[in-house]
Amino acid sequence: LHPRVRRQRQMCIRDRNYRMKAVVEDGCIACGMCVSICPEVFCMGDEIAQVYADVTEENEKEAKEARDGCPVSVIDIEE
């Protein structure tokens, strides 16, 4: 393969594998802060916030902002 093609394939593989997991632990008060900051990862369930997507390179900043802004500190992002 041409070096440029090889490099592009490696970048695609790296991007595809760049995933972190967000977790909402017990104690969520359903304030909706995480959903308002990062709706790409969090949504409101019946009674608490829920995670419905992985944290990606594109939304990592917002997901960490949601974690840091949680008033009861129940969001964890596992790398």
Side-chain angles (χ1 to χ4, degrees):
L1 287 175
H2 188 275
R4 186 184 322 148
V5 173
R6 185 177 305 129
R7 197 168 37 250
Q8 286 175 338
R9 282 188 179 178
Q10 289 170 343
M11 288 174 65
C12 288
I13 291 169
R14 189 176 334 123
D15 290 345
R16 191 172 48 226
N17 291 331
Y18 188 91
R19 298 279 187 263
M20 293 187 279
K21 298 284 184 189
V23 178
V24 178
E25 299 173 356
D26 290 341
C28 175
I29 59 172
C31 69
M33 173 98 51
C34 58
V35 177
S36 66
I37 294 172
C38 189
E40 299 85 11
V41 174
F42 302 97
C43 65
M44 288 305 297
D46 292 335
E47 297 182 20
I48 62 169
Q50 296 179 342
V51 175
Y52 73 94
D54 287 341
V55 177
T56 65
E57 191 170 17
E58 291 79 25
N59 61 32
E60 177 182 4
K61 180 180 175 207
E62 290 82 6
K64 288 183 175 180
E65 194 175 309
R67 174 198 62 197
D68 296 343
C70 178
V72 289
S73 302
V74 296
I75 296 174
D76 190 24
I77 297 179
E78 302 169 347
E79 298 186 32

